[in-house]
Structures are given as C-alpha cells and as structure tokens.
Amino acid sequence: MARHREQPVEEEDQDQDQEMEEDLVALQFDEQLSWRAGKPIASGELLRRLEKLSKELADMDQETVDKSSLHGVAKDLASHNLLAHKEPGVKAHVASCLVDVLKLCAPDAPFTPKQLKEIFTLFVKVILPALWNPAHAYNTQHKYVLSSLADVKSILLINDVNNAEELLLELYSTFFDGISGSFKNQSGEQVAKDVEFHMTELMVTLIDESSSLPPSVLDVIMAQFLRAAPRVGQRDKTDSDGTQTTLLPKEEPEAYVMAKTVCNSCPDRMARYVGQYFSDVIMDVSGKGGHANGQKEDEQSDDEAAPSGPSEADFKELRKAHQLLRELWRAAPAVLLNVIPQVDAELSADNVSLRLLATETLGDMISGIGAAGPPPPPALDPAAYPPLKLSDEVTDHPAASILTTPISPLSFAQTHPQAFQNFVGRRNDKSPLIRAAWTTAVGYIVSTSAGGIGLSREDESMFITGLRDKLNDNDEKVRLAAVTGIESFSFRDIVLKLAALGGVTKEGSVLFTLADRCRDKRSSIRIEAMALLGKLWGVASGEIAAGQESVIAALSGIPCRIINTFYANDLELNVLLERVIYECLVPLSFPPPPKPKGSKPSNGNSPSQSINDSNYDQDRIRAERVLLLVKDLDNNARKAFNALQARQPQFSKVLENLVRQCDIFNGGNPDGDADRIKQNLKKTAQYLGQFLPDPIRVEADLHNFANWHDRRSYQLIKFTVSPESDFKTMHRAIKELLKRVQGSPKPHLLETLLPLLYRSAYILFNKSHLATFMDCSKSDKDGLGAAAQEITTEISQHNPDLFKTHVEQICKDLVDGAPKSNHTNDTAMVETLKACSSYSRRYPTELPDDRKFFQALISYALYGQPAKTAKYAVNVLMARKDDKSLVSATDLLQRVTKDWGYESAHFLNKIAAVAQLELLASTVTADANDEIIDMALKNVLFKVRTEAKDSDPEWVPDTELDDECQIKSWALRLVVNRVRGVKDIEEAKEFAPPVFKLLRTLLKSKGELCKTQDTPKHHKARLRLLAGQCLLKLCTYKHLEELLSPADFNQLALVAQDSCANVRRLFVEKLQKYLVQNRLRPRFYSIIFLTAFEPNSEFKGQIETWIRSRARYFREAKQNCMESSMGRLISLLAHHPDFSPEAEELVDHARYILFYVNTVATEANFGMIFKYAERVKQTLDGIDRSKSERLYILSDLAQSLLRKWQERKNWSFQAYANKVGLPVGLYTALPSHQAAQEIAEKQYLPEEVDQLLDELLRSLDKKKKRKGADERAEGQPAHKKARAPAQKLTPKVRTPRPPKSSSKASGKASGKPKSSTRSKKPRASSSPGPEAADRRRSGRAKKSSSYLERDDSADDDDMLAGVAKWQYYDKQGNPLPQDDDEEEDEEDGEDEEGSSLSDLPEDEVEAMDDDDHEAEKDEEAKPMEDNNEDSELSDIDDKLDDADAEAGVEEEEDGEEETLPPPPTEKKAGRKGRSAAAAEPKALPSRPAANEKAPKGKSAAASSAKSRPAPRASTRATRSRRAAAEEDEADEDSE
C-alpha cells in the first residue's frame, strides 16, 4: 500500500521540477564585454554595458535564474582585462556584477581557482579599501559589493583560494586600519555606520564559518585591543596642573569596538584560537622559569632566580601578552576561558618576575583595569569650598577616559574561582615585590568594586583585612604600596568601605594602621601616609562640622594622629608635619577667593553650592576650620599643637634677624666690619640649621640666599613674619616669595626657606582670625566655644602682640560683664579674663587704668564664678605694680576682711583672692596676716564640715568638687603663698618651718588634718596632692629647698606611689615640669624612679620616654645628673616602707633598679652607674645609721642586676676611672678602713636572689616579644603577683607600734601576727591604714629637725663629678640672682586634672599649663640684649628651647626600635652651655634638640618605649605588702 501511495508523489515532484526548468529566467544581456588585444572597448561604452548588466543581475532571483546563462558573462567578468582595468568605475561595476554572479550561482561559483583569486584580490585590495572615501564617485558600488559579500556570505569562497591567508590578512588589516582612520580621505567625511556593520559581519562570518583562522589574522585582531594602551611616552604624561595623566580618547576606538564585537560574536571559536595564541607566548616563556609554590616561607632567596630564565626579549613579549589579557577581559572575557589557567600557572612559577607579572595581570583583570592602566586617583582637594559632602555625586576626573574606567563584564571570582583563590594566596608570597603588587591590586579591586561587578561581603572583608596587614608588612615597598593603594579610594569609598571595620581611632582598623605609617621609619611612606590623611580630613571637614556621624567616626581622629607625630622628635618628621598642617589640614589657600557668578565650584559640586554669597567671609571660614581642628584634638595632640604655635613668635624673631643680617651682608660686599658681619650671618645660619634635618645644606642655602641679595624678598619675609600683617597680606607675601625664589638662579632654596616660613609666619593664629575666635568663645557656635577659648588663651600667652588691636574691646567686655553680689558673670568671661591676665604680664601698661576697670576687676575677685576668676582678676589688678595697683589691692583686702568668716557670702572667692594677694602684694596683707592665717588654719583646714562616708569616691573631677574642698585647697595655697610672697630670705626662712610641718603632716596622715572627725576620701586625695605639689613649688626656691630634710624628702617621694591614680599622675607631671625647667635640684630625679610599679601602662610608658629624653639631654650636656641618681635612688629605696631583706621583697626592689637601668643605662655610662652602686657600700647611712645594712644589701643587689644587664646587652664593661661622690646628707664616712674592708668582703645578698633576678630579666624579655592586651588596657591595674594569702603574709606582718617608737627599728619582720584592730572604720581603699603609715615612718624622723641636707659647697665637693651644680639661669643662660619672683608660679595646683607634657623646657611647659607664669621672665631677658652686639640670637635661644620642648618627648612606635646616632660632641647644651654663651656673647647657646639626623632631646631608645614594658605590672603604690594583705582581701578593686 505504501508503494502505491509513493508513486504518485514522486511523479508529481518530477512534474514540478520540469515546470520550474521551463520557468527559469535566462540572462538577457548579450553585449560584448571582452575584446581582442589592441582593440579595447571604450571606457564610456564599457561602463554603459557594465551598468546595464549590473542592473539586470541585481534584479534576478537566485531561485528562478538560469545559472547556465550566466557562464558566458561570468567568464567575461573574470577576464584580466576587466579585473585589472585602469578605470575605477569599470572595476567598481565589474565587482558589483561579480558579487551578483556569486550570489546567483551560489553555492557553486562559476570561476576557476585562479579566477577566484583574482576576483577576491580585486575585492580586498581595490574595492573594499575604497570604502574609506565616502565621497568616491562609485561609493555606491563599493558599498554594494561589501553588503553582498556579507549578506550572501560569498566571502567564504576566499578560503578556497590558494594562499588565502595573505588575502585574509590583507582584508582584516584593511578593515581595522581603515576604520581607525589610517586611510586618510580628502573629503574628511566619516564612514557610514552600515559600512562598519557589514565589515564586522563579514569578519564574523569568516571566523564562524571557517574551520580555522590563520595566526597572522588572529594577531591583527588581538592587536586592535592594544589600541587602548597609551602610546610609548604618552602614559604618565602630566600637564602643569598635574591633572592630565594621559591623552587617551574619551571613547573606545572604532577598530577596538569592531574587534570586541568580532570576539563576542563567536566566543567559542575565538576562545580556542585565543587560547592557542597565548599558549604560544605564555607557556614558552613560563616554561623557562620553572615552577615552585613561591610562598613566603620558602627558604630560597628572591634574588636567587632559576639558572636559565626567560630573556629580556621573552619578557617583553610576555608583558605585551599580559597587557592584551587585561584588555581582553574588559572587552571579551569569554574568549579567555582557556587562557586564565595558564596565567594561574604563572602564579606558581619559581621566577619572581613571572609571578610578579601574573599577580599584576590577575589583579588588574579582577578590578577591570585594561591596557590603558588604572583610573586616575580621585581628587582630594582640602582647600575646596564648600567642602565635599558624602551625598555629592562623584564627578569624573578631568583625565578620565572610557579606556581607564574599570569595567569587568563578569565576576572573576565566580568565573575562575581557582585562579581567584590562588591570587588571594599571593598575599603571603615570599617576595616583597609580589606582595607589593598584590597590595596595589587589592586597592583597585576594592575601590572599583571589582570593576563595577561587585564583590561578595566575605571577599571585600578579606581584601580590606589584607590591605590593613600589608600596612604593617616588614618590607617598605609593601607598606608604601598599601598606602598608595588607599589613595585610589574616593572620599565616599573610604568612609563606607575602609571605615566599615572602624575609624582612625579604632585599633586594628585600616585607617588606624594607616595613621601608624605617619611614623614609619621610611620617609617616603611617612610623606604619603601623612599627606593622604591630611587631605582626607580637609575634605571631610565639612561633614565633620555638619555632624555627619559616619564621617566623624571614621576620620575625626586624624588630626590627633598626625599632630602626635611631633612627639617622635624627628627633625625631618617635624618639617613634614608642618607642611601637612599648612597644606592639607588647613591649607594656606583655604578658602579660595570668591568666584565670578556662574563659575563652577572648585570641588566640582553642584552649582547651587556657590561661594558667591554676600556673607562669604574668608577669615571667618578659615578661623572656623582652625577651631574644628583644635576641637577634636586629645590632650597630647592639643599640647603638641599649642607647642608648635607657641614657638612661632620666637622663630619669627630669628627670621627677622636673618633678614637683617642678609641685608647688612649686602650680597657679599658688607660695609664696615666685614669679618664680624660674615661671622654673625654664619652663626645665624648655623643656629637655624640645627632645627632642620640637614644643617649643612641649610647653612649653604641661607648663604646662597644672602648672596642673592634680593631686597624684595627681604621685605616679603618681613610681611610674612610680622604680627601686624593680616592673613591676606601674609599669604600673598608667601606666594610672591615662592615665585621669586622659583624664578631665581637657585630655586632649590625653597626646600630650606619654606619650612622656616611655615614656622615663623602667623598662619593659624593670625590677627584676621582673632575676631572669630573671640566671638565663638562667647557664643559657643557649633560647639567650638571651648576650642576658641583655649586658642584665645594661647594667643594671649604666646602671641600677645595679636591682642593689641583687640585689647580695648576685651577690657570693655570685662567691664560690661562684671558680676555683682546678686548676679554672676558669664562663663565665657572666665577665659577672657584669663587671656587678659596673660596679656597683662607682657604689656601691663597697655591695659586701662581707670577706676571703672579696677572696680570691675574687684567685682570679679569678689563675686566671679568659678573661684579661679578671683586669681585672674588679682593678677590683672597687680600687673602694673604701681601705687594705683597697691591702692586697689588694699581696697580689695578691706572689702574681703570686712565680712571675713567661713559662712559669709562668697567666702570661696574671698579666700582665693587673698591667696593671690599674699603672693603678689605681701606688703598689703602684712598687717592682716595673723587674722588671715588663723582663718585659713583653724576655721578651714583643721575643721571638717562634710561628713565622710564609705561610699565617697576616691577622686572627683574639678567641676564636681564641693565648696569645702575648694576652700581648703585655696587655704593651703594661701599658707604657702605667704612664704613665697616674702622677699627677704631670712624672713622667709623664719616663716617656712611651720608651713613645711603642715605639708609634711598632710603627707604623713594621708591628707587628714582634723583630729576629731574623718575627712572625706576625695578631700584627702586633693589635699595630699596639693601638699606634694606645694612642697615641690617651695623647693624651687633655693633657700626654702634647704629646709626639706632627707626624711621629709623620702616622705614626699611616696606621693609618686599614692593609692589614687590621679594623685600619682598629677604629682609626677608637676615634678617632671619643674625638673625640666631646672627649678629643682637633681636629687628630685630619684623620685621619678618610684613609678616602676605604676599600674597604668600608658602613663608608665610616658614616664619611661620622659626619663630617656632627660638622660639623653644630660648626656649631650655632658652632665652626670642621671647617673648620680643611682646613689640617691639606693638611699631612697633603703628607707622605703616596703623594704625587707627577704628574697622576694628584694626582687621587688630590684624592679626599681631595673626601671632605672632600662631607661638611663647605656654602654657608655654603664661603668659610672656601676661605680655609684659600688660606692654606696663604702659609706654609712647618713639618715639613720642603724639602716646602713639596707644600703649594703641594695648595693649588692644593684651590682648583681647591673652585671646581668651587661651580659644581656652584650656590653663591654669598662671600669669608671674617676672618683664619684655621694650626697653628704644621705651618706657618711665609715669609721675605719677595717670596717670598710669587712663590709666590702661580705656578701649581703641572699643566695636565692640570683635565680630570681634571672627570672625577672627573662620575664622582661618575654613581655617585650609579645604585647599583652593588659599592657594596652587603659587604667587597668594588674596585680603584682600571685601568692598564698596566709602562709606567706602572716609571718611578715608586724604589730602596730606607737607613734614614738624607737628609731632603731630594723627592717626585719616580726614573728607575731598583726592585731585585728584596724582604723576607726573599715576602708574600701587598699591604701594602708594610719597604723601602717606610722609604722613605716618609725625611726626616720629622729634627725629631721636638726639636719639640713647638704649645703651647696660641701655637697658639690663631695659629689665630685656625680651631681650637677645647683644654679638658676635666665633665658639667655645667665645665672639668676637668687631673689624671689612675685609671680614665680601662678598655677598653685590649679587644673589638676589637666595633663602636662612630660618633657617641656621652661616657657613651653608654661605654654601647656595655663597659669604657671613668671612676671619677671621677660625682664630678665633684657640685659642680654646690651651685651650681645654681634648676634641677636641669645635672647631667642631659650624661648625656642621652650617652644620646642615637646621635641624632647618621644612617643614610641609599636614594634619598632630605632637606635639613634650619638649626639655631636662639639655642641654644648644645658644650663652650663648657656652660661658659657653668656660669657661669650658671640657664641650661640646650644640646645638639647639638635643633631645631624636625629633631633635633639630624642632618647636613644625612646622609640621603643612600648616595646620595653615594665617587668611585671603591679598595683604596688605606697602600701606595704604586709599591711595591705588584709585590705586586698576586703577590696581587690581599689585602683
């Protein structure tokens, strides 16, 4: 059945075919196209015939044409005569006819292979290239040929031609070169888009339909992607403004787009071809480099490459291939499917260069960076106004290009996970070059969000963590790469991405670690890190001021971290710090001048944010930026910032002097005494050189500047440093000066002049800004009031000249805001009055002297709030020191004593005013002294009006102090000021003993003076602190210091171990301050070493740094002050209440000695220190002979510890050859040589101590290697050591003894247990009770009443080289007459909670501590001016010493220990050097801060203070271990 059904169908098909054959249309064209040789057809006729044929062929349909009728025409068209005709029109029409024939005869072309080759040669070499000229007469025919070849795909016949590769290469080259503009057309018309489309389609057809692609053609295609790369010499090209980084096109080149379309249209085939293409290059080169894992832990050095590696030519090709890979990933990532594994394999190559190249390539591919390179870094302009906002749209960089815009079409992490993970593993590569490349890549990956495709949360966190870790890498190249990697982030990305894990204040965050790089040991890293942070804060300042929380949390702490680098005391770092402050934090060019209307803002924000407002006040805006900067500074940064500004007036005087010397020098032709003038100029240059990193270069540059002799430059410098110049004048002067120097024959002078200008010019504290500062201090606008008040005070103290134009208004405000009995003053007036007080010391005659002003001051003294207002008012009142001042003081005293009682109104103000009158107007208070002192003692200090409670805190802040505590504090100051105010030395000595007794009683009784009632704990803490500080203050007077007996000195020293942390800190800071000012004798240095058990690790670290700084200072001054302290320290420890001869207790005492050795000892002074320790054993105890054995025990302990320290340090021991002396007050001579011999031969140290000392040193080593979390905890006291509670403690506890116990009590422990009887009520504190305190003092007061420790001559003779001579000096280095200053120290314990800088010479300490000033300091500076005709620097040296004081305090960098070069031996320093300078006016006094490379005053080991923790943290304060045992059980959290 099926057969019968199929037969009719077949017959039907045959019939249809027959009908179709009958219906085929034959070609009607019958004209001749060929000719015989010598008889050519005319061109016109030939063109007519070809046009006719072309039209007919175009109208024919492939399905209905009779192909046999085309054979004749095809033969004619393929003849050589037509294909090679000289007429372009003939060729164009022949080509159009040929493509029609190919179309109609498809798939079989009616041509021989030879004819096909000639035909396609015509197409490829003539017709298609002609398309690049759209104005060609036969462009229509050319386009027709192209479209027919593409649509019909007859182009595929080219593959049948012999040597088709040549034609294909020509075809692709023609297309790409033509579309890129290589073929120039005369008309300049652009090629139509349809031509580009058909060309692309034609190339895609050839690749997609062909079985293979010639390598040369693939080369051409791949080369198009390299058009994205900048030409040789074009990359990194910058314009003068630094914004244009490349000359790349804004759009992708047409040939590039065409090649990208080709690759993306046939990804499978191209992937195979591309894979083979790169295999030929990558595998060949990689194979020469060998393979290894390349991990960082490999032992093979990076420099030890494989024996036979790739040649430079190979690497050149490989780099080109990798560049192409980058661009291919952006354009057509699918074609790299087989290539990525090859690049991945390179990551494991043994050759470092191969791994480096693979790491860079994969990093760029992940972030979407192509051959054109990374995008230009985002613009961070700190001088832009209005500042950038977090919500602002990101604007394109001026040099941005589509080719540099990171684009990643696919997620590399998801497409190639194995290669991605291997790339991540390169973070730990052994080669720093590869780790640096990885770090740079990570910066771009995170900042570009992996080329815009996005990163997973885990991957982004991993990369950010890696970036943070590389900031701490041990190789500088990696750290620098990490810093520059962060520079690729925009402001928004830094806040939203990098700060997501924490801001600059959070330890362990990226920004915190970046801030650590500000103190990197490599200058290039410091510069990049500090400049980047400065720009970030400058850009973010607008959002910080607006209260944007995320920006505040992320970046507000930047100024603290930057300014705290001042403590590193590095001259080069100080120069960088100033440049960052004045170019990034508060740029000189901020804010920009108003722009014309319609102009675009400088930061690229929307035009709505214009600065053309009528209220645009540049001075106000700039002043508010300064206030914002100061507002967020912490205490240390604020003091460093103030120190920087405080030294500005002194530097301005030096620079003015330099200009004067240059002018006299007259370009090398001075008039007058040429030698003297040249010598003065040289000294000035040398003096300035010690403050900059390269003194030799500074001196040379300044001499070149003098030889240049440009008088306009001299005038510009004067404008710059003049306090009379407003900010605009100063800024314009600096700009003009910079331009003049740049255009001079020696533009390199700027490297010296610019730092000097920054230090000398009134940049931040300018008179143009003062009005805004004062307004903000009154109104507290935007919370800037406190900062404004502080700045105003600083200006009044250190730049009072700026106040001259405002002093009248200040005094008027004081009068208008004066309080009354029923009306208090505004709080802002307190700071205004304080500023006026500071100004009055410098310019007392410029204040009003009218009665109205004086009455206002009296009102402030009587009714001002808070009470310290009374002190400031009295200071201003007594500033003139004339009869009018005395009359006003008398008036004030009469009004005070009129109603003189504790219960009287405003008694706190009254007693504060009287306390200051006692100091400044002792003649006025003389008649009423008995009444005043009686009130202060009997009615105030000896009474308790506030009931003590167990719940009372141990310390309360100043702002929360009750009136009784404040009154008692002022009463104690009053008593002390009475002694200080007496001018006659003998009279002062007569008044002093009762005062010393009162202060001694306060210390012994732990702040308790009342015998009938307990004083609250926080009152006692305040009184203890004030008593200790007042004793220090009294001891700054030589005639009063002599009254402090050794026993009282030992009692005073225990304040440094007080149970209250605030008492310890504030006492030690006051001690440091006076020691640095050289106002205390060297014996007070021994007190500082009692802080060895300080539980606050941060505070202890600051103390260590301070000690190292002072030790270095004395070494440079060639004084043995710190070395001689060993003898004093041993005596102090021998009389310490915790002393015990038992081994464990001795190890605790060894910690004090270890603390001393760790901070003072060097290989150079080790022999001298050992000599002092040894010398102690040749004496008797001068305080209590019964305790001499303690000295011998401690001497042996110190010697043993010193020997072990020497072995630990591998120091060579050189015995000190000279004699050393010990203080006669602490030591006396042995009775006989035999006794000395017996003592020397006896070993007093228990045997087990040796092993315990070894363990102590080992524990120190362990703590240096690992930084425990407890070391970094703030205010967390660590326990001293674990021990059994009863078995060890009970035998050591001694029974209480009555107050009048024998002075011969030994240090041995009693075998009887302590009675359970305690004080009247239980105490929450762990400090010892009164019984314990009395017991520890037993036997130490016997000789106190009759002994005055050492007089100067005997002590100096006996100490020999051991103790520095006692002498006061003025600011020029002249010995001061020993008369009393009226305002020697105004502070009087005020602002106890404020922390002061540890190492601040003289005036600068006063700069940090508001009220401690001396009225006579400036007067003492005057005599030097007359004695120094040759040089005007002597009177400035000491001021610079003061203003540069914080350079002596070096804050260490974690984990880095830096050994500084020894100080120059030719320089003098210290007070001895200054006295020499006074004797020889021409000699410049030296300072403790100059060094060739290292700054003066910088400790040799101060940079590693954090790496040298205390041997063991402890809560050891003043309490005895035995007496404190039971109290510890009751309250373990006392600290």
Side-chain angles (χ1 to χ4, degrees), residues 1058-1096:
D1058 194 273
S1059 60
C1060 178
N1062 288 284
V1063 173
R1064 295 195 305 271
R1065 175 183 283 271
L1066 295 170
F1067 173 78
V1068 169
E1069 288 175 346
K1070 179 72 73 174
L1071 174 65
Q1072 290 174 325
K1073 169 185 169 182
Y1074 288 156
L1075 285 172
V1076 172
Q1077 291 176 335
N1078 231 8
R1079 293 164 65 184
L1080 289 174
R1081 290 192 178 187
R1083 66 164 167 165
F1084 286 88
Y1085 275 100
S1086 59
I1087 298 177
I1088 206 74
F1089 297 105
L1090 291 187
T1091 60
F1093 285 93
E1094 171 59 46
N1096 187 319

Side-chain angles (χ1 to χ4, degrees), residues 969 972-977 980 995-996 999 1002 1023-1037 1040 1052 1067 1070 1074 1388-1389:
S969 297
L972 190 58
R973 293 189 183 98
L974 185 153
V975 173
V976 173
N977 283 351
R980 294 173 56 208
V995 177
F996 274 84
L999 298 176
L1002 276 171
L1023 291 175
R1024 288 198 308 272
L1025 170 64
L1026 191 55
Q1029 291 179 331
C1030 287
L1031 273 175
L1032 292 177
K1033 192 175 310 227
L1034 290 172
C1035 289
T1036 59
Y1037 298 82
L1040 298 179
L1052 174 64
F1067 173 78
K1070 179 72 73 174
Y1074 288 156
D1388 292 340

Side-chain angles (χ1 to χ4, degrees), residues 880-904:
R880 288 178 176 269
K881 302 176 185 177
D882 55 7
D883 293 340
K884 208 175 244 189
S885 299
L886 292 176
V887 170
S888 299
T890 304
D891 184 20
L892 173 61
L893 183 64
Q894 290 174 351
R895 296 176 65 174
V896 167
T897 55
K898 184 177 181 181
D899 186 11
W900 182 240
Y902 189 92
E903 304 299 333
S904 63

Side-chain angles (χ1 to χ4, degrees), residues 973-1182:
R973 293 189 183 98
L974 185 153
V975 173
V976 173
N977 283 351
R978 183 194 181 192
V979 179
R980 294 173 56 208
V982 175
K983 305 302 179 185
D984 184 78
I985 293 179
E986 295 303 323
E987 186 180 358
K989 285 185 177 182
E990 180 184 347
F991 290 153
V995 177
F996 274 84
K997 181 179 178 182
L998 174 67
L999 298 176
R1000 181 172 63 245
T1001 303
L1002 276 171
L1003 295 180
K1004 287 183 177 180
S1005 62
K1006 299 299 176 186
E1008 184 66 79
L1009 285 178
C1010 183
K1011 298 180 180 180
T1012 60
Q1013 189 176 352
D1014 286 345
T1015 303
K1017 285 186 288 188
H1018 59 285
H1019 287 199
K1020 291 194 291 185
R1022 286 282 179 172
L1023 291 175
R1024 288 198 308 272
L1025 170 64
L1026 191 55
Q1029 291 179 331
C1030 287
L1031 273 175
L1032 292 177
K1033 192 175 310 227
L1034 290 172
C1035 289
T1036 59
Y1037 298 82
K1038 180 184 176 183
H1039 60 280
L1040 298 179
E1041 193 268 348
E1042 295 173 349
L1043 303 179
L1044 186 70
S1045 68
D1048 290 344
F1049 177 86
N1050 293 343
Q1051 183 65 50
L1052 174 64
L1054 295 179
V1055 182
Q1057 292 184 313
D1058 194 273
S1059 60
C1060 178
N1062 288 284
V1063 173
R1064 295 195 305 271
R1065 175 183 283 271
L1066 295 170
F1067 173 78
V1068 169
E1069 288 175 346
K1070 179 72 73 174
L1071 174 65
Q1072 290 174 325
K1073 169 185 169 182
Y1074 288 156
L1075 285 172
V1076 172
Q1077 291 176 335
N1078 231 8
R1079 293 164 65 184
L1080 289 174
R1081 290 192 178 187
R1083 66 164 167 165
F1084 286 88
Y1085 275 100
S1086 59
I1087 298 177
I1088 206 74
F1089 297 105
L1090 291 187
T1091 60
F1093 285 93
E1094 171 59 46
N1096 187 319
S1097 59
E1098 180 185 359
F1099 181 45
K1100 184 180 178 183
Q1102 294 173 359
I1103 295 172
E1104 289 177 344
T1105 303
W1106 182 87
I1107 296 173
R1108 291 191 179 98
S1109 176
R1110 297 307 297 164
R1112 180 178 177 82
Y1113 166 77
F1114 285 117
R1115 285 197 301 271
E1116 291 179 348
K1118 292 183 171 43
Q1119 297 178 10
N1120 302 327
C1121 178
M1122 301 303 284
E1123 290 81 0
S1124 66
S1125 295
M1126 170 58 90
R1128 298 185 178 278
L1129 177 61
I1130 290 177
S1131 174
L1132 182 59
L1133 295 178
H1135 294 272
H1136 195 284
D1138 285 349
F1139 179 85
S1140 170
E1142 298 181 12
E1144 285 190 2
E1145 297 292 340
L1146 288 178
V1147 171
D1148 279 344
H1149 268 53
R1151 291 176 185 270
Y1152 294 113
I1153 301 173
L1154 181 62
F1155 185 60
Y1156 168 87
V1157 173
N1158 188 30
T1159 52
V1160 174
T1162 64
E1163 189 171 8
N1165 67 7
F1166 183 81
M1168 185 189 301
I1169 293 174
F1170 192 89
K1171 182 88 170 182
Y1172 274 106
E1174 195 176 40
R1175 179 77 174 84
V1176 169
K1177 212 172 176 182
Q1178 303 168 12
T1179 61
L1180 288 174
D1181 193 321

Side-chain angles (χ1 to χ4, degrees), residues 348-366:
S348 301
D350 181 57
N351 187 283
V352 175
S353 298
L354 284 178
R355 295 206 311 278
L356 175 62
L357 190 56
T359 303
E360 292 173 340
T361 300
L362 288 179
D364 286 349
M365 292 169 70
I366 297 171

Side-chain angles (χ1 to χ4, degrees), residues 50-67:
L50 289 173
E51 288 178 5
K52 179 180 178 182
L53 175 60
S54 177
K55 290 179 181 179
E56 186 175 355
L57 290 173
D59 295 336
M60 299 183 75
D61 190 349
Q62 182 183 9
E63 296 181 356
T64 60
V65 68
D66 183 3
K67 297 180 181 179

